[in-house]
Amino acid sequence: MAAVGAGGTTAATGPGVVSVGALEPGTSSAAHRRLKYMSLAVLVVQNASLILSIRYARTLPGDRFFATTAVVMAEVLKGLTCLLLLFAQKRGNLKHLVLFLHEAVLVQYVDTLKLAVPSLIYTLQNNLQYVAISNLPAATFQVTYQLKILTTALFSVLMLNRSLSRLQWASLLLLFTGVAIVQAQQAGSGGPRLLDQNPGAGLAAVVASCLSSGFAGVYFEKILKGSSGSVWLRNLQLGLFGTALGLVGLWWAEGTAVARRGFFFGYTPAVWGVVLNQAFGGLLVAVVVKYADNILKGFATSLSIVLSTVASIRLFGFHVDPLFALGAGLVIGAVYLYSLPRSTAKAIASTSASGPCMHQQPPGQPPPPQLSSHRGDLITEPFLPKLLTKVKGS
């Protein structure tokens, strides 16, 4: 499940309803750089390690764990973590915590129920990811999963009336082309398949996961505009619904087998690593994502694809042929172009259309003021830490 970032954003789907306040006074450029690189490292490692660890755990010989139990355990651990953080925010006062949760969860039950739909979709998405990664190589999944950018963009246009630049539309077309090339390479490869993998089922699962990810992220943003809930409260509410819905999915899909063999059947240290990564990795991303602008997140996605591919060669004997390299390269380029700030995208589009001479400043005219980069509801200043506050009255 995607963790909720500051201001009601989801780490998996992009910016939510936030605005950027003033930068912290007295912060040095060295501190800016450290925060930037720390955010980049966390985003890259979390993106790549989760996929690689799931692939590793699902292809180990021996008893195979039930994916539905891993989804439930991740939600339980995430909810407990958020509960402890809220307890710490109340300075260890259990009475204040209980009163706060009663007010936020039960009294304001309408806001709580709003999270049922995205929680249901995120739970479905998590289970679909296990199906997809079990049937597709990690590198192929990582590239194909970037279709979530396309689905999120389309749902943003349809549900939030967002507008995309011509460069963004072109990058989405480039993204789709790159994914199609990678899938054509996957279908045409005659290499051995582990554990009776079904690439068709894997592709269907990852496409469904991308659709659910895009819809859930945009829906989540739409219903939480103007909401005042904290990051940890929203993740706790999502965890409550996620645990309940995950148990329903477990009973429906694998209830008989789990009852016969046990909830923790097939669990190994590698499986626990996957569960902990899912539970805490998303929360960690929710903390650091406020220091990452869209360019940095796009760069992190590109590095994650490269890292997953290199690791797949070493761990799983994955073979990179020219067709895969071409498709992956197109996807990486598309992610970078889509993540460019709108002002930069306009400059690139104008330069390609009219040539650089059209943008030369006339003699005697002062240079135009530097504008902040706009992206949806965000105003970003590249690579600088930001104070995030919610948009009021929206």
Side-chain angles (χ1 to χ4, degrees):
M1 178 182 295
V4 183
T9 66
T10 53
T13 56
V17 190
V18 294
S19 65
V20 180
L23 295 174
E24 294 180 8
T27 307
S28 66
S29 59
H32 294 170
R33 287 195 297 271
R34 284 196 297 271
L35 288 171
K36 176 188 73 173
Y37 294 129
M38 184 189 306
S39 302
L40 177 64
V42 170
L43 291 171
V44 171
V45 171
Q46 207 279 332
N47 283 340
S49 64
L50 179 59
I51 294 170
L52 291 169
S53 61
I54 292 177
R55 178 67 179 178
Y56 178 75
R58 296 297 279 177
T59 55
L60 283 175
D63 296 328
R64 205 184 223 192
F65 68 98
F66 299 111
T68 52
T69 64
V71 171
V72 171
M73 280 304 304
E75 293 302 320
V76 170
L77 291 176
K78 186 168 66 175
L80 289 176
T81 302
C82 292
L83 188 62
L84 289 175
L85 290 170
L86 288 172
F87 183 63
Q89 286 183 349
K90 300 301 177 183
R91 302 183 182 276
N93 192 314
L94 183 60
K95 181 180 179 180
H96 287 178
L97 176 64
V98 172
L99 291 175
F100 169 75
L101 292 178
H102 177 267
E103 172 70 22
V105 178
L106 298 180
V107 176
Q108 301 180 23
Y109 66 91
V110 175
D111 280 347
T112 302
L113 291 176
K114 287 180 180 179
L115 298 176
V117 173
S119 183
L120 171 63
I121 299 174
Y122 285 138
T123 303
L124 174 64
Q125 176 190 340
N126 286 338
N127 283 283
L128 287 171
Q129 284 183 354
Y130 277 99
V131 175
I133 298 174
S134 299
N135 288 282
L136 292 174
T140 302
F141 172 85
Q142 182 75 289
V143 172
T144 308
Y145 193 54
Q146 302 316 310
L147 282 176
K148 66 184 178 182
I149 298 174
L150 173 62
T151 60
T152 302
L154 294 178
F155 283 120
S156 296
V157 171
L158 295 174
M159 297 172 61
L160 301 177
N161 297 319
R162 291 261 172 84
S163 62
L164 302 179
S165 67
R166 284 179 292 179
L167 182 62
Q168 286 178 317
W169 283 114
S171 66
L172 292 177
L173 178 61
L174 194 67
L175 174 70
F176 183 82
T177 303
V179 171
I181 291 175
V182 168
Q183 286 302 317
Q185 179 270 342
Q186 174 69 23
S189 63
R193 296 173 183 169
L194 299 175
L195 301 174
D196 298 325
Q197 293 178 55
N198 186 342
L203 175 60
V206 73
V207 169
S209 181
C210 290
L211 286 170
S212 62
S213 173
F215 176 79
V218 174
Y219 177 85
F220 193 82
E221 178 177 346
K222 186 178 179 69
I223 65 174
L224 287 186
K225 280 192 174 183
S227 173
S228 59
S230 70
V231 175
W232 309 124
L233 173 62
R234 292 307 180 201
N235 279 289
L236 174 61
Q237 291 170 317
L238 284 172
L240 292 174
F241 280 114
T243 301
L245 294 169
L247 288 171
V248 172
L250 184 156
W251 171 79
W252 181 77
E254 299 172 322
T256 304
V258 171
R260 185 174 68 253
R261 296 186 173 183
F263 188 92
F264 296 106
F265 174 79
Y267 272 56
T268 64
V271 177
W272 280 111
V274 171
V275 172
L276 294 175
N277 196 336
Q278 272 196 318
F280 303 126
L283 293 177
L284 184 60
V285 168
V287 173
V288 305
V289 75
K290 66 178 180 179
Y291 300 112
D293 57 28
N294 287 298
I295 296 178
L296 188 64
K297 285 185 278 189
F299 189 47
T301 300
S302 302
L303 285 179
S304 299
I305 294 174
V306 175
L307 180 60
S308 296
T309 302
V310 173
S312 295
I313 295 172
R314 291 283 298 173
L315 295 175
F316 311 118
F318 182 73
H319 175 67
V320 177
D321 60 15
L323 202 58
F324 178 88
L326 173 62
L330 290 177
V331 169
I332 290 173
V335 170
Y336 173 75
L337 291 175
Y338 187 83
S339 64
L340 286 176
R342 193 172 289 266
S343 57
T344 305
K346 286 181 178 179
I348 292 175
S350 300
T351 302
S352 62
S354 305
C357 60
M358 298 298 293
H359 298 278
Q360 294 178 355
Q361 189 70 18
Q365 294 286 337
Q370 295 295 319
L371 300 178
S372 297
S373 305
H374 290 263
R375 160 84 63 169
D377 294 319
L378 284 178
I379 306 174
T380 63
E381 193 69 29
F383 302 129
L384 295 180
K386 303 179 280 292
L387 297 179
L388 302 181
T389 57
K390 296 176 179 64
V391 174
K392 301 296 182 184
S394 50

